[in-house]
Amino acid sequence: GAVVSQHPSWVICKSGTSVKIECRSLDFQATTMFWYRQFPKQSLMLMATSNEGSKATYEQGVEKDKFLINHASLTLSTLTVTSAHPEDSSFYICSARSNSYEQYFGPGTRLTVT
Amino acid sequence: QKEVEQNSGPLSVPEGAIASLNCTYSDRGSQSFFWYRQYSGKSPELIMFIYSNGDKEDGRFTAQLNKASQYVSLLIRDSQPSDSATYLCAVNIRGSARQLTFGSGTQLTVLP
């Protein structure tokens, strides 16, 4: 299967700071990337969909000014959590899709805001 | 009605048995179906996908589609304790620009 990487795998930051998470498709070009959030023992929650070179589409209830998404190339998308607060602590997972329907997930980034 | 529904479980089977996981979907026009496995604390891993043209077998895993009843199942033969995980069903809902809609997952425990 296709390989998607994320960096960092875990991060601890102080409340009020911003954190950037990178998602890369290593062996294919991802025309679309997705960002999910998952709280403990809960299901995946789609936050936004990004297409290379265009603005991301955010799901209802997700603040676009707080979760900045940039999909500048066919292999890289970034999620920046701005002014993070403890309630933003979660497991953030990206996935990437080429021209087919299959989505491949990155390993996830565990964010802890203190 | 949710677009993709799964029994949350937990489903427990003894080692060596067949584990059967089911998923129902609401859009009769859906044509692609995916099963992901997610271990605790890890991200989902794609294990099987089928399109509307038939079932698929890969090693111990078989994905079956029943279009008339709008459900897709995943069978795991000779279940192993290492199969214990949450299994997510995902469906391409028509009109969603090929975006997958995920079920909430079924937790499977294989007892040694």
Side-chain angles (χ1 to χ4, degrees), chain A residues 27-103:
Chain A
D27 54 359
F28 68 102
Q29 293 187 325
T31 52
T32 305
M33 287 186 170
F34 304 89
W35 287 96
Y36 294 85
R37 181 166 55 180
Q38 188 174 39
F39 294 104
K41 298 192 184 301
Q42 294 188 22
S43 57
L44 291 172
M45 187 189 81
L46 178 65
M47 299 175 68
T49 302
S50 75
N51 293 296
E52 184 265 338
S54 62
K55 289 184 178 180
T57 302
Y58 291 80
E59 295 299 301
Q60 191 172 11
V62 178
E63 299 174 57
K64 63 180 181 180
D65 294 328
K66 182 172 181 61
F67 299 100
L68 302 178
I69 293 172
N70 184 283
H71 191 164
S73 76
L74 286 172
T75 59
L76 173 65
S77 176
T78 60
L79 168 69
T80 301
V81 183
T82 62
S83 186
H85 291 286
E87 57 266 31
D88 298 323
S89 298
S90 188
F91 190 39
Y92 291 86
I93 313 171
C94 74
S95 73
R97 186 185 72 202
S98 62
N99 292 324
S100 61
Y101 288 94
E102 299 101 77
Q103 276 181 227

Side-chain angles (χ1 to χ4, degrees), chain A residues 4 6 36 44 93-96 103-107, chain B residues 36 43-45 102:
Chain A
V4 178
Q6 268 184 256
Y36 294 85
L44 291 172
I93 313 171
C94 74
S95 73
Q103 276 181 227
Y104 296 92
F105 284 87
Chain B
Y36 289 82
S43 67
E45 172 193 10
F102 285 83

